Amino acid sequence: MDQHRTHWINGKPWTGETAARGDIYNPATGRVAGTVDFAGEIEVGAAVAAAEAALPGWRETSLVKRAAVMFAFRELVRSRQQELAAIITAEHGKVLSDAAGEVARGLEVVDFACGIPHLLRGGYSENVSAGVDAYSIRQPVGVVAGITPFNFPAMVPMWMFPIALACGNTFVLKPSEKDPSASQLLAELLAEAGLPDGAFNVVHGAKEAVDVLLTHPGVRAVSFVGSTPIARYIYETGTAHGKRVQALGGAKNHMVVLPDADLDLAADAAVNAGFGSAGERCMAISALVAVEPVGDELVAKIEQRMASLIVGPGDEEASEMGPLVTRQHRDKVAGYLDSGVAEGATLAVDGRSHPVTGDAADGFWLGPTLLDHVTPEMNCYRDEIFGPVLSVLRARSYAEALQIINANPYGNGTAIFTNDGGAARRFTHEVEVGMVGVNVPIPVPMAFYSFGGWKSSLFGDTHVYGTDGVHFYTRAKAVTSRWLDPSHGGVNLGFPVNQ
Ligand code: NAD
């Protein structure tokens, strides 16, 4: 496969010249599999202009017709789910079942967006004053942009555009330059579903394309998902240019295991949530906090499970974990193994020696790794590693475990494993994290709740999708109305108050 990706603007692939290009890799072989155009001012300008031109027609399209486009899109994505998964696996590296799972979780948001006629219902109060009625409506904000990370090339864009479009906005997506192809198929399927040309556009590229979106006066709102330093930059730059911004950042997700927990369940969960998708999930468990005295027993159970994990190319059925996304990222993640040991951690399982099946020696491999006796001062704990490295911290008590989590600058997801309902309830009440699981290791909220972290994991006020998504992509308007009545009251210069 040697393919070239370009932008999708006004319902078709971009045919103009593009000054810059990047390579697309197959992480399982380490070889270049294609190229992608990088957008600058001209291409992003064309995409925003197409979205602006499509806006009046799309926002006036009836709610029922907008919902019908979402229903048709839902069926098309379902029918092409495996194809979409194969595209994701080829560029991201995750195993096919995981890629199909990401499409399924994205589809849940499409399901939610199909209910837009209900979601946009306003409120109505009759007779707020004599003969006066009041009601509220929500209207689209205009052209909105989505800037998304490499780790969910289909799901994270689907957190954004289904709701944005259903609300009557038009959209410009800037997906990750590392795995740009899934967005092309999504754009084609939206067109096939009946979305008018220009209502959904895709521009590829990196910082230059993003900066044009962040400063373009035609873009009214920006949704971002990615790492914390870039999220902060997006929030500060976008809001300084008068845009509504929600910017979701990185994570350090802790899983607390209390002494009364079922340790087999906890060990299974730690391995699944630590190494699924090679740890490249924003909700991956990267720090396990074992409340003593269960640390040694839990670590032994985790080691036992790690030994049998099959690491290999994502398109091989036997593979349970694929490669990392790029060589640079693999090398950066692997660097924490030595630095962790230098700082005093124990390398209980060294992923560099994990066997890889198949003929893929040059792929970006790193097997599952376990660092034990990690402490909060170490860099392998403080940094978001974003790879298959699980760090184990030992706490003497529930209170110490909670203190570790609440002192961490990130606050995306967390989980507690216990059979004590009172302890679990106390944890959900006290922990300063946006998404909490009780005996559930990756508590990604369903589409009818909203996704978002606290602290350095989110800049802005609203979480993504769910009712927060509807709020983000709409502006509220309150209308107070009186139809002429013989008792209208005549001239009165006082401030209107209810008599
Ligand atoms: P990233 O921040 O490097 O890139 C995200 C997007 O920003 C990409 O589209 C990229 O092209 C663009 N970008 C990169 N550098 C930029 C710059 N200097 N200026 C402007 N734009 C820039 O993130 P990534 O490596 O693609 O994804 C992994 C990160 O995303 C991890 O930190 C992970 O935790 C985070 N993430 C968070 C969530 C969440 O919901 N909070 C979900 C998924 C991923």
Side-chain angles (χ1 to χ4, degrees), residues 200-220:
F200 181 77
N201 307 276
V202 182
V203 288
H204 296 294
K207 180 171 170 51
E208 191 185 345
V210 171
D211 284 345
V212 181
L213 286 169
L214 291 177
T215 53
H216 196 299
V219 174
R220 310 306 293 269

Side-chain angles (χ1 to χ4, degrees), residues 147-152 156 159 174-178 205-207 210-211 214 224-228 230-231 233-234 248-251 281-282 384 386 412 451 457:
I147 300 158
T148 53
F150 79 83
N151 67 325
F152 287 110
V156 170
W159 283 357
K174 206 302 285 172
S176 172
E177 66 281 19
K178 298 185 180 109
K207 180 171 170 51
V210 171
D211 284 345
L214 291 177
F224 171 87
V225 175
S227 59
T228 287
I230 310 297
Y233 169 75
I234 300 280
L248 282 72
R281 289 180 183 142
C282 54
E384 180 190 37
F386 217 59
N412 210 42
F451 183 109
S457 295

